[in-house]
């Protein structure tokens, strides 16, 4: 245990507190913020919003990117674009951040939890296939849950800690069952599966720029799609569904005040300029961790096959829950910040009633997985 703590301190060249993941502002952030302030366009109208959207779309290889105030808002809108509505269902994974399940609930829909794969930490195609074969039927072009009688509108896989799940298999299964795929790519900017960027496999994808992400504006999110009509609708409803007019205030449907501000976008333009260097630095750290943990009795999570991960949060898997708890206690007591993986969504009070299949892999990981310091080193 002490050897691990000493190694992490050596890797970050610090005897002070080492956070899990802190932001780096080493580029034009202050310059662009000052420019934004001087322009007086600090809200959702301004050149940096559109500049960031174009930069982001180009980077991930999507036709359209629509900037939102945070990743959860982006995910909420993405689900609405997939026609997720009151009293429908969305299949997702229990091993995820709360935003995934919350966004489903915002639509008035119900999450259904299926298991993850141990190697990707993301939604298991095999578990998805088995659940649908046992529980669902296709009727009039819709997937019906035979247990609840509700329409399964969408599947929402998440690329956990930046490691791509088997998204090609998931989209193929969902196509057979008439289910839309919405990707929770919040953690996976800079991650690729079979050479294609995460978030671009499904109907819609959503990313996050929270303060602990690879790039950040303190908050922020973005929706990506290749569908022009969906992109226009996303921009419309994230700006309160206001009908364009020189001075009249007319709104033609229920909308949301979700548009990213020009201030946030200014930060993100500067962060995008440094993204490649951030990713390269994180990969170098991953290589050092891999070399170290290969000599220890701990499993370090490497990028899955056919993938290029961004290594957003470096992860080790301990041999038992008791060992995990000792590791967490010892590291945090010595100022090296580590965190357990999330509590499973189906174990939280508000989702205990939700339908789920066997979640043995998710539970196994919940008891053993730990995130270790992953910041871009200066």
């Amino acid at each position: 245990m002490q050897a691990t703590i000493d190694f992490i301190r050596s890797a970050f060249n610090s005897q002070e507190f080492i956070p899990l993941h802190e932001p780096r502002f080493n580029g034009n952030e202050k310059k662009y913020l000052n420019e934004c302030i001087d322009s007086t366009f600090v809200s959702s109208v301004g050149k940096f919003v559109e500049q960031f959207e174009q930069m982001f779309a180009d980077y991930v290889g999507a036709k359209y990117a629509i900037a939102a105030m945070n990743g959860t808002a982006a995910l909420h809108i993405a689900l609405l674009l997939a026609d997720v509505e009151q009293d429908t269902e969305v299949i997702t994974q229990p091993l995820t951040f709360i935003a995934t399940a919350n966004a489903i609930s915002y639509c008035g829909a119900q999450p259904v939890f299926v298991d993850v794969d141990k190697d990707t930490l993301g939604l298991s195609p095999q578990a998805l296939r088995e659940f649908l074969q046992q529980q669902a039927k296709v009727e009039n072009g819709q997937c019906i849950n035979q247990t609840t009688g509700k329409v399964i509108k969408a599947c929402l896989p998440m690329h956990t800690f930046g490691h791509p799940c088997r998204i090609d298999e998931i989209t193929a299964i969902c196509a057979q069952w008439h289910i839309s795929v919405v990707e929770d790519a919040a953690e996976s900017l800079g991650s690729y599966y079979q050479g294609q960027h995460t978030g671009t496999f499904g109907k819609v994808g959503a990313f996050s720029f929270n303060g602990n992400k690879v790039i950040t504006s303190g908050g922020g999110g973005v929706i990506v799609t290749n569908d022009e009509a969906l992109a226009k609708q996303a921009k419309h409803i994230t700006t309160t569904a206001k009908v364009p007019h020189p001075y009249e205030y007319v709104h033609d449907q229920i909308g949301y005040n979700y548009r990213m501000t020009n201030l946030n976008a200014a930060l993100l333009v500067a962060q995008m300029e440094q993204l490649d260097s951030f990713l390269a630095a994180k990969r170098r750290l991953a290589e050092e961790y891999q070399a170290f943990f290969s000599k220890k009795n701990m499993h370090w999570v490497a990028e899955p096959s056919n993938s290029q991960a961004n290594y957003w949060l470096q992860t080790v898997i301990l041999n038992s829950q008791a060992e995990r708890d000792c590791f967490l206690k010892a590291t945090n007591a010595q100022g090296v910040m580590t965190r357990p993986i999330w509590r499973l969504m189906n174990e939280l009070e508000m989702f205990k009633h939700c339908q789920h299949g066997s979640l043995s892999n998710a539970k196994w990981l919940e008891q053993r997985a730990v995130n270790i310091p992953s910041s871009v080193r200066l």
Side-chain angles (χ1 to χ4, degrees), residues 157-173:
M158 199 268 279
H159 301 290
T160 309
F161 305 140
H163 294 289
C165 62
R166 292 181 172 85
I167 189 64
D168 59 337
E169 296 180 45
I170 291 169
T171 54
I173 293 167

Side-chain angles (χ1 to χ4, degrees), residues 116-359:
V116 299
D117 287 326
K118 285 184 179 179
D119 58 342
T120 70
L121 315 181
L123 190 72
S124 167
Q126 183 61 33
L128 173 63
R129 184 182 295 107
E130 290 176 358
F131 178 86
L132 291 170
Q133 289 173 346
Q134 295 168 8
Q135 299 288 336
K137 64 179 179 179
V138 175
E139 193 173 87
N140 298 321
Q142 291 185 315
C143 185
I144 309 297
N145 186 328
Q146 296 187 86
T147 298
T148 64
K150 294 182 178 181
V151 178
I152 301 174
K153 280 282 189 176
C155 178
L156 182 58
M158 199 268 279
H159 301 290
T160 309
F161 305 140
H163 294 289
C165 62
R166 292 181 172 85
I167 189 64
D168 59 337
E169 296 180 45
I170 291 169
T171 54
I173 293 167
C174 288
Q176 294 173 356
W177 288 87
H178 300 266
I179 299 171
S180 296
V181 174
V182 176
E183 283 179 80
D184 185 343
E187 302 173 357
S188 63
L189 177 58
S191 297
Y192 295 82
Y193 185 75
Q194 296 181 349
Q196 183 176 338
H197 201 289
T198 55
T200 64
F201 287 82
K203 190 172 189 175
V204 197
F207 293 81
S208 170
F209 310 111
N210 184 40
N212 64 359
K213 295 300 190 295
V214 178
I215 66 170
T216 184
S217 53
V222 71
I223 304 150
V224 298
T225 183
N226 290 323
D227 187 310
E228 182 179 8
L230 290 181
K232 288 181 177 178
Q233 176 69 353
K235 186 172 181 179
H236 184 56
I237 62 177
T238 54
T239 49
T240 69
K242 184 179 182 296
V243 178
H245 191 279
Y247 49 85
E248 291 284 358
Y249 288 92
V250 179
H251 306 262
D252 60 1
Q253 65 183 102
I254 299 296
Y256 304 87
N257 192 14
Y258 280 180
R259 188 77 168 144
M260 180 182 286
T261 70
N262 203 35
L263 282 168
N264 288 114
L267 277 170
L268 284 170
V269 168
Q271 290 271 284
M272 284 293 294
E273 292 172 350
Q274 302 165 80
L275 177 56
D276 286 342
S277 65
F278 289 169
L279 293 171
K282 292 179 75 61
R283 182 161 287 272
R284 287 194 295 272
L285 177 62
E287 290 168 353
E288 292 180 27
Y289 274 141
Q290 184 175 28
F292 175 79
F293 285 111
S294 66
K295 303 172 185 176
K296 302 295 178 181
N297 190 28
M298 286 184 280
H299 173 70
W300 175 81
V301 178
E303 59 196 0
S305 60
N306 301 315
S307 299
Q308 179 180 322
N310 65 4
Y311 287 110
W312 169 53
L313 285 185
Q314 312 276 350
T315 307
V316 293
I317 297 176
L318 285 301
N319 294 311
S320 67
Q321 185 170 357
E323 187 175 319
R324 181 206 70 168
D325 292 346
C326 288
F327 183 88
L328 289 166
K329 184 177 180 179
T331 51
N332 283 285
Q334 294 195 44
V336 175
M337 187 176 180
T338 60
R339 287 291 182 267
I341 207 165
W342 313 281
R343 183 73 57 86
L344 297 186
M345 294 299 102
N346 61 292
E347 295 177 353
L348 299 179
E349 194 62 38
M350 55 280 200
F351 299 120
K352 282 183 176 179
H353 65 285
C354 294
Q355 185 181 11
H356 62 79
S358 171
L359 306 178

Side-chain angles (χ1 to χ4, degrees), residues 26-37:
N26 304 325
N28 290 314
E29 287 87 355
K30 291 181 180 179
K31 175 184 175 182
Y32 295 161
L33 280 174
N34 285 333
E35 184 178 334
C36 181
I37 291 168

Side-chain angles (χ1 to χ4, degrees), residues 54-93:
Q54 189 60 58
M55 290 176 74
F56 195 88
D58 291 344
Y59 188 90
V60 302
K63 290 183 179 178
Y64 307 100
I66 303 90
M69 62 188 292
N70 57 54
T72 308
L75 200 54
H76 179 199
I77 296 301
L79 289 166
L80 293 177
L81 295 174
D83 296 323
V84 175
E85 55 192 0
Q86 187 77 33
D87 294 326
T88 61
E89 293 179 341
V90 177
I91 295 175
T92 191
Q93 59 200 64

